[in-house]
Amino acid sequence: MDRVNATTPSASSADDPARAAFAALRTPEGEQLLAELRDHDPADELATATRLRRAHPAELVSAALGQARLRQRAVAKFGAEDAYRMYFTPNGVEQATRTSVAAHRAARFAGLGVRSVADLCCGIGGDAIALARAGISVLAVDRDPLTAEVARANAQALGLADLIEVRCADVTEIDTAPYDAVFVDPARRGGRGRIFDPEAYSPPLSWATAAALKAPRAALKIAPGIPHEAIGPEAEAEWISDGGDVKEAVLWYGEGFTPGAFRATLLPSGATLSAPAPLPAPPVGPVGRYLYEPDGAVIRARLVADLVERCGGRLVDETIAYITSDEPYSSPYVAGYEITDELPFSMKRLKALLRERQIGVLTVKKRGSAVEPEELRRRMKLSGPGSATVFLTRVAGAPTMLIGHPLG
């Protein structure tokens, strides 16, 4: 299976310039350079490189500057305390799970008594780190020698080497029988960018599913936009958002999970909503006094109907995930707004209304509209002390503007 883990091992670090450069970074001289570059400004990189090359080899300076850039990018996922101790590759930063999501997943495993996990396609070790911090011993496997070396270095840097064994190998050749659970994070990027076909993942979703079904428990990390028909009936599917942004989906298998169920989990609160099976289509009706915007994880998990039922409301359009009701409703799964105006779509009418109310700050939200928010704001020529939110959407199939303000 030549696509598994996407890369072919090289013979030694001496034959691989990238591995040789990484090895140099881990010398005392390399570590000193990285410490010096922690807060450097990328805009000054040329001057910084020129200065450093007076005292250090050019190849080492280039490697250190590249690693410094990656660490700065990684802060958003790992936090500064970890990111500036860890090592990264460009693909590793791009594909690694952010710490909050990895910790959530590790906690679910730990809560079920899992004590050992085979982490297949471990990348630079983000999930292995979270699992180890949850007290779980991990076999972390990646086929790419440089990536495996980086994962090993990260386990050591964070004091987790006793719990994380890193192995450079083809994941299809790993015996997972001795482990309580399996975690698979297939590569979803190729030479042309994101891969949307699950069978084009590396390894393919079908292989990952087969590996999961052999284990007592398993989790497969997948893209949140995966077609629902690609999810087998054996899996519990969970969509996870962090700070309101949908980050990923995970398929859970085995004891302690509910086959066929869909779940939405919101971080950092940990609020979770689930249904054992798809719910019937919710009712559709006129816009009431209140409008609710479900979290993206709820929409991806097709649990909007559950929220409609909970708030006693309805959809504004059968194809749009905006919920409306006549009474206020509070829930961690929605952002609520009080609607003051409902108008047919018209730039001219919206501009006149905003001018009349002296709206200087306008939040633009849209579903089912081709209008770009920035273009709309530019054309409104906003001025004044007031603020408002406008929803560009469809109501009963007709292009509509809903104007209001957030509840609370």
Side-chain angles (χ1 to χ4, degrees):
M1 186 180 297
D2 60 0
R3 290 183 299 177
V4 172
N5 299 85
T7 57
T8 302
S10 57
S12 69
S13 60
D15 302 323
D16 185 340
R19 291 175 67 194
F22 179 65
L25 287 177
R26 303 199 67 209
T27 64
E29 185 179 10
E31 291 177 353
Q32 177 190 341
L33 265 178
L34 287 174
E36 184 176 341
L37 289 169
R38 172 177 171 134
D39 298 318
H40 94 288
D41 184 350
D44 298 331
E45 190 161 297
L46 181 58
T48 301
T50 301
R51 174 176 57 81
L52 293 176
R53 283 170 182 159
R54 298 189 188 111
H56 305 280
E59 294 82 0
L60 179 58
V61 171
S62 294
L65 284 167
Q67 189 62 222
R69 288 194 300 271
L70 293 175
R71 284 180 167 183
Q72 289 179 348
R73 286 173 55 194
V75 168
K77 285 188 174 183
F78 291 90
E81 184 177 351
D82 282 352
Y84 286 112
R85 290 188 289 165
M86 294 172 66
Y87 298 89
F88 302 94
T89 64
N91 285 340
V93 170
E94 187 69 32
Q95 298 187 30
T97 305
R98 68 174 48 222
T99 294
S100 56
V101 178
H104 163 73
R105 190 162 42 227
R108 287 201 76 183
F109 269 141
L112 292 171
V114 170
R115 308 308 302 162
S116 62
V117 171
D119 179 359
L120 308 182
C121 313
C122 69
I124 54 91
D127 280 282
I129 290 165
L131 290 164
R133 283 175 168 167
I136 297 170
S137 63
V138 185
L139 171 65
V141 183
D142 202 281
R143 189 181 181 186
D144 177 51
L146 173 60
T147 302
E149 288 179 17
V150 171
R152 188 176 295 112
N154 286 336
Q156 294 169 355
L158 299 180
L160 299 169
D162 290 344
L163 283 169
I164 301 174
E165 174 195 348
V166 179
R167 190 179 302 174
C168 182
D170 188 318
V171 296
T172 64
E173 299 172 358
I174 298 298
D175 178 12
T176 61
Y179 298 89
D180 296 340
V182 167
F183 173 65
V184 188
D185 180 5
R188 295 180 302 281
R189 281 185 175 273
R192 297 182 178 179
R194 290 186 184 274
I195 296 171
F196 297 98
D197 177 7
E199 283 307 295
Y201 291 174
S202 178
L205 182 60
S206 57
W207 181 90
T209 301
L213 292 173
K214 294 176 185 176
R217 295 184 179 91
L220 308 184
K221 177 180 171 181
I222 55 174
I226 186 172
H228 282 218
E229 56 269 20
I231 300 172
E234 310 92 347
E236 175 187 306
E238 180 182 26
W239 282 262
I240 303 169
S241 70
D242 190 1
D245 295 327
V246 182
K247 295 302 180 184
E248 68 177 59
V250 59
L251 305 182
W252 298 96
Y253 299 83
E255 186 179 352
F257 307 111
T258 306
F262 283 3
R263 177 183 299 273
T265 298
L266 281 55
L267 301 178
S269 71
T272 189
L273 183 69
S274 65
L279 300 168
V284 179
V287 177
R289 181 175 177 181
Y290 301 98
L291 188 77
Y292 306 100
E293 181 182 28
D295 184 272
V298 173
I299 297 172
R300 293 281 192 180
R302 296 184 181 174
L303 295 172
V304 173
D306 185 282
L307 294 180
V308 171
E309 184 176 298
R310 287 170 184 244
C311 75
R314 53 206 176 264
L315 296 182
V316 300
D317 185 278
E318 63 181 357
T319 64
I320 303 293
Y322 283 141
I323 303 169
T324 188
S325 72
D326 303 311
E327 301 295 332
Y329 172 70
S330 178
S331 165
Y333 307 107
V334 299
Y337 299 83
E338 184 172 10
I339 299 302
T340 57
D341 301 88
E342 177 184 354
L343 303 168
F345 178 78
S346 166
M347 288 279 199
K348 184 176 180 180
R349 292 185 67 178
L350 179 61
K351 185 175 181 178
L353 184 146
L354 298 177
R355 183 187 298 115
E356 176 187 335
R357 296 185 184 172
Q358 297 184 306
I359 300 299
V361 178
L362 183 67
T363 300
V364 182
K365 293 179 172 288
K366 68 168 193 168
R367 284 200 181 127
S369 171
V371 177
E372 291 300 326
E374 288 304 320
E375 173 64 13
L376 182 139
R377 270 191 288 265
R378 185 186 66 79
R379 293 179 61 178
M380 291 300 102
K381 301 187 185 304
L382 301 168
S383 177
S387 63
T389 300
V390 60
F391 294 86
L392 307 178
T393 188
R394 293 192 302 271
V395 173
T400 303
M401 304 181 300
L402 304 175
I403 296 96
H405 54 82
L407 291 175

